[in-house]
């Protein structure tokens, strides 16, 4: 058979294979149709099962997927719905990174080794550079001064209550306990109470240090008062001056000094055990000069003891001396912690003498041993000594001098003596007052707010607590000084005592800027707080004082 015959036979066979199915048997056609319907139903079920399964992306068998897809398409056409097929991700697009073997091959190449060494050198050079820079900054920065050693009586003002019945509403120590909250608002650090012990005038034999006078209260009331004060962070100092009501001197006569000093020693132990934080004694030059050995014992009992809060006990002396030289000598000879004197007497000392006295004592003693006061048990109240118009001025003076300020009760409100050294303390109430009394109360409240503001500021600012004292300007009626501590804010206090004339202070110093800000003034309308003033032309009205500040500039 040749090639042409073979091809003809193949074509005839292909023609037979493609003949139409209509020529087939009718029964066979019906069976085929039923089979087709069953296949479509089965395909629909398979498609629903596939939709319920998660999309795994291509691990299925290709032939099964193709058959299922054809069946789903047929079912979709039959039911009239449209199915969209989401194409699978191309596996070649997923980044898998370098394998471990590839990384090892790259890491060992010379180029990568050089790069690693270069980065390591850069890192250590940067680190050393930062270290050298930090050391340089530390060495070049100004060193901070060490804070001076201080005690609690150096942290704020002391407040003397010399007469309990005059100070309280109930006229006893129980009423004093009720006033502790009000006193704590003044930011005082210590209350000096009494004397309250039994001491008939000029009668040494009847002296009883350990017994409280019935006019003041009793021991239980005193204990309650001490506890209330301690809860507010206020210390309590007890005045134990022996002959505080007599006229023959605080230690009676020279003959009785030895006997009284011996009795005082046991009384000190008693009261310190009751919780008092210190003792005040008048006429210390008498006892220290007549019986120096007993005075040394008295000092040791008080000054060598600590309280439960690990605070030292204070020994305060009072002298009638007014000369700065005499006061300085007594400070050195008596070794008291604080010495209250008459260096800053009321109206009979001009500003020049005051400035010289302050400068002398500051130059010869640590300011932690200096105390400043105006008035007291003998002299009376501040307002009666300097006049009501100058009360705020002297409050500012005492609270900004280098040392501990000491105030008499009522000095914060300008209380006047009015014929007695122990006037009744005025407490504000809600009672209705006439116009005159309302004005007086408003003035008292203004005076108290001024005192509290300056007292609070003194307790927060280092320059005011223990800063250096720099005298800038003084005359017979004006005074200006600077308080400076290390890198803290600087404070400048300026005063004009003249009752009718204004003062213009031209302050010039290498440490002074041209301008300073007003912190507080006795006349807020003339010098409002936060206003700026020219230090080369500082104007102060009659009887006016101001506290200014400016920042440390290096």
């Amino acid at each position: 058979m040749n090639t042409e015959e073979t091809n003809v036979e193949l074509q005839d066979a292909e023609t037979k294979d493609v003949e139409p199915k209509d020529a087939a048997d009718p029964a066979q056609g019906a069976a085929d149709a039923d089979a087709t319907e069953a296949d479509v139903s089965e395909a629909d079920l398979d498609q629903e099962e596939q939709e319920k399964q998660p999309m795994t992306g291509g691990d299925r068998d290709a032939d099964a997927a193709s058959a299922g897809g054809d069946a789903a398409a047929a079912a979709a056409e039959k039911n009239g719905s449209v199915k969209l097929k989401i194409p699978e991700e191309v596996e070649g697009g997923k980044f898998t990174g370098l394998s471990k073997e590839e990384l090892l091959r790259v890491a060992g190449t010379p180029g990568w080794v050089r790069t690693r060494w270069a980065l390591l050198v850069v890192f250590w050079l940067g680190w050393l550079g930062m270290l050298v820079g930090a050391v340089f900054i530390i060495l070049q920065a100004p060193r901070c001064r060490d804070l001076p050693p201080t005690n609690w009586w150096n942290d704020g003002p002391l407040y003397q209550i010399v007469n309990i019945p005059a100070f309280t509403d109930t006229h006893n120590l129980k009423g004093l306990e009720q006033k502790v909250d009000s006193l704590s608002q003044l930011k005082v650090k210590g209350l000096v109470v009494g004397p309250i012990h039994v001491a008939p005038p000029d009668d040494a034999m009847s002296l009883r240090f350990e017994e409280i006078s019935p006019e003041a209260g009793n021991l239980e009331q005193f204990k309650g008062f001490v506890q209330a004060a301690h809860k507010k962070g206020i210390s309590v100092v007890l005045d134990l001056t022996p002959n505080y009501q007599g006229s023959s001197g605080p230690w009676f006569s020279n003959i009785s000094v030895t006997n009284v000093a011996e009795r005082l020693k046991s009384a000190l132990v008693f009261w310190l055990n009751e919780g008092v934080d210190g003792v005040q004694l008048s006429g210390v030059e008498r006892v220290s000069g007549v019986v120096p050995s007993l005075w040394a014992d008295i000092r040791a009992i008080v000054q060598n003891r600590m309280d439960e809060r690990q605070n030292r006990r204070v020994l305060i002396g009072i002298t009638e001396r007014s000369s700065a030289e005499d006061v300085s000598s007594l400070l050195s000879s008596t070794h008291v912690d604080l010495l209250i004197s008459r260096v800053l007497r009321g109206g009979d000392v001009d500003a020049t003498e005051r400035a010289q006295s302050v400068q002398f004592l500051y130059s010869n003693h640590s300011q932690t041993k200096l105390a400043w006061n105006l008035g007291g048990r003998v002299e009376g109240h501040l307002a009666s000594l300097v006049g009501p118009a100058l009360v705020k001025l002297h409050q500012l003076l005492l609270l900004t001098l280098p040392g501990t300020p000491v105030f008499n009760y009522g000095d914060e409100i300008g209380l006047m003596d009015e014929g007695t050294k122990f006037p009744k303390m005025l407490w504000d109430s809600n009672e209705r007052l006439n116009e005159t009394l309302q004005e007086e109360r408003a003035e008292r409240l203004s005076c108290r707010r001024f005192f509290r503001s300056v007292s609070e500021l003194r307790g927060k600012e280092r320059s005011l607590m223990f800063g250096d004292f720099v005298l800038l300007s003084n005359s017979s009626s004006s005074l200006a000084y600077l308080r400076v501590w290390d890198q803290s804010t600087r404070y400048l206090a300026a005063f004009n005592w003249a009752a009718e004339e204004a003062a213009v202070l031209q302050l010039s110093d290498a440490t002074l800027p041209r301008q300073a800000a007003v912190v507080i003034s006795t006349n807020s309308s003339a010098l409002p707080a936060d206003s700026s003033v020219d230090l080369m032309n500082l104007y102060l009205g009659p009887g006016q004082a101001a506290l200014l500040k400016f920042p440390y500039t290096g």
Side-chain angles (χ1 to χ4, degrees):
M1 184 181 292
N2 57 25
T3 303
E4 292 180 358
E5 292 176 350
T6 303
N7 291 336
V8 169
E9 290 177 357
L10 291 174
Q11 290 175 357
D12 293 338
E14 289 174 356
T15 302
K16 292 178 180 179
D17 291 337
V18 297
E19 282 182 1
K21 294 183 178 181
D22 294 339
D25 185 80
Q28 182 66 33
D32 290 341
D34 293 338
T36 302
E37 252 180 46
D39 291 341
V40 171
S41 300
E42 186 176 351
D44 287 342
L45 292 175
D46 290 342
Q47 179 66 19
E48 290 178 1
E49 289 298 322
Q50 290 175 13
E51 289 176 355
K52 292 179 182 179
Q53 297 298 322
M55 299 175 66
T56 57
D59 290 336
R60 295 181 301 272
D61 182 78
D63 294 336
S66 176
D70 293 340
E77 291 179 357
K78 180 179 179 180
N79 298 329
S81 61
V82 178
K83 300 282 187 178
L84 295 179
K85 184 176 182 181
I86 301 175
E88 298 177 352
E89 290 186 5
V90 181
E91 292 186 359
K94 184 178 180 181
F95 177 75
T96 59
L98 298 177
S99 66
K100 180 178 179 180
E101 292 76 11
E102 291 172 331
L103 287 174
L104 290 176
R105 285 198 302 271
V106 173
T109 60
W112 177 239
V113 172
R114 287 192 298 271
T115 301
R116 284 189 298 170
W117 277 106
L119 292 174
L120 184 63
V121 171
V122 169
F123 168 78
W124 282 109
L125 287 177
W127 188 88
L128 290 174
M130 290 188 292
L131 178 62
V132 172
V135 172
F136 178 78
I137 292 173
I138 293 173
L139 293 176
Q140 292 297 315
R143 296 181 61 85
C144 296
R145 290 175 62 183
D146 294 332
L147 296 179
T150 59
N151 294 287
W152 62 261
W153 56 86
N154 303 126
D155 296 337
L158 301 181
Y159 190 90
Q160 296 189 101
I161 306 171
V162 297
N163 190 283
I164 302 299
F167 183 75
T168 67
D169 298 325
T170 60
H171 309 294
N172 56 29
L173 288 165
K174 184 63 178 178
L176 182 56
E177 177 185 345
Q178 297 169 354
K179 298 300 182 183
V180 168
D181 284 342
S182 178
L183 295 174
S184 69
Q185 296 174 7
L186 300 177
K187 309 303 178 183
V188 299
K189 293 301 179 181
L191 301 176
V192 184
V193 180
I196 58 174
H197 58 272
V198 174
D202 303 321
D203 184 0
M205 298 305 295
S206 301
L207 175 65
R208 295 192 295 275
F209 280 117
E210 300 170 17
E211 183 178 340
I212 296 177
S213 172
E215 292 85 10
N218 55 54
L219 183 58
E220 290 303 315
Q221 292 175 349
F222 182 81
K223 290 179 180 180
F225 155 66
V226 172
Q227 292 175 358
H230 285 172
K231 287 180 180 178
K232 291 293 183 179
I234 300 175
S235 299
V236 176
V237 178
L238 186 61
D239 193 321
L240 286 176
T241 299
N243 191 28
Y244 64 93
Q245 298 189 86
S247 58
S248 61
W251 293 86
F252 301 96
S253 64
N254 284 339
I255 299 175
S256 63
V257 171
T258 302
N259 177 269
V260 172
E262 281 285 1
R263 294 161 64 185
L264 176 63
K265 288 166 56 177
S266 61
L268 291 173
V269 175
F270 172 81
W271 286 112
L272 292 174
N273 288 337
E274 293 297 339
V276 300
D277 303 287
V279 173
Q280 178 173 279
L281 297 169
S282 297
V284 290
E285 62 269 30
R286 171 76 69 85
V287 64
S288 63
V290 174
V291 284
S293 60
L294 289 177
W295 178 246
D297 293 341
I298 292 171
R299 286 181 46 232
I301 293 173
V302 178
Q303 295 175 325
N304 293 343
R305 288 176 64 111
M306 306 282 284
D307 63 13
E308 66 278 0
R309 298 171 292 171
Q310 297 301 308
N311 291 329
R312 279 192 59 206
R313 310 292 178 91
V314 64
L315 179 59
I316 304 175
I318 299 179
T319 179
E320 298 296 318
R321 306 285 179 85
S322 59
S323 165
E325 290 77 8
D326 290 345
V327 173
S328 176
S329 178
L330 278 178
L331 268 173
S332 300
S333 62
T334 61
H335 301 286
V336 292
D337 296 304
L338 295 174
L339 183 61
I340 297 174
S341 67
R342 301 187 64 198
V343 168
L344 300 178
R345 290 173 297 180
D348 56 349
V349 177
D350 64 20
T352 300
E353 187 175 346
R354 283 178 172 172
Q356 292 173 351
S357 297
V358 172
Q359 185 67 64
F360 181 85
L361 290 171
Y362 174 79
S363 301
N364 289 278
H365 300 276
S366 168
Q367 63 176 288
T368 58
K369 299 184 73 67
L370 302 180
W372 310 106
N373 76 301
L374 285 166
R377 170 175 287 276
V378 177
E379 294 85 1
H381 284 77
L382 177 63
S384 298
L385 296 173
V386 303
L390 295 179
V391 169
K392 291 181 181 178
L393 182 148
H394 286 88
Q395 288 178 352
L396 183 62
L397 175 70
L398 295 176
L399 287 165
T400 56
L401 284 175
T404 300
V406 182
F407 292 91
N408 200 359
Y409 79 93
D411 284 348
E412 76 277 15
I413 61 172
L415 183 66
M416 299 287 289
D417 288 331
E418 298 179 351
T420 175
K421 298 298 177 61
F422 312 119
K424 183 175 177 58
M425 180 64 177
L426 300 177
W427 300 100
D428 294 310
S429 62
N430 296 324
E431 60 183 342
R432 299 184 63 181
L433 304 174
N434 59 40
E435 185 175 350
T436 301
L437 294 178
Q438 286 179 352
E439 292 177 358
E440 292 177 357
R441 182 167 65 179
E443 181 58 32
R444 289 198 305 270
L445 293 176
S446 174
C447 194
R448 190 177 189 273
R449 284 193 297 268
F450 184 90
F451 180 97
R452 183 176 58 189
S453 297
V454 183
S455 179
E456 184 176 18
L457 189 67
R458 185 197 181 280
K460 295 190 301 185
E461 297 295 330
R462 290 181 174 179
S463 291
L464 294 176
M465 287 182 66
F466 35 70
D468 298 331
F469 174 81
V470 181
L471 188 61
L472 296 176
S473 173
N474 70 287
S475 67
S476 60
S477 60
S478 65
L479 173 66
Y481 52 81
L482 194 62
R483 299 298 308 280
V484 176
W485 177 259
D486 198 27
Q487 302 173 43
S488 300
T489 301
R490 279 81 170 102
Y491 284 87
L492 192 156
F495 307 85
N496 177 23
W497 275 273
E500 299 179 356
E501 297 180 2
V504 179
L505 306 182
Q506 297 178 340
L507 306 177
S508 60
D509 188 89
T511 62
L512 292 180
R514 181 60 186 265
Q515 293 186 326
V518 177
V519 179
I520 194 170
S521 71
T522 57
N523 187 347
S524 58
S525 60
L527 286 176
D530 298 327
S531 62
S532 181
V533 295
D534 186 356
L535 296 182
M536 293 294 294
N537 191 34
L538 178 58
Y539 178 88
L540 294 175
Q544 187 176 352
L547 183 64
L548 316 174
K549 70 176 181 179
F550 57 91
Y552 166 77
T553 57

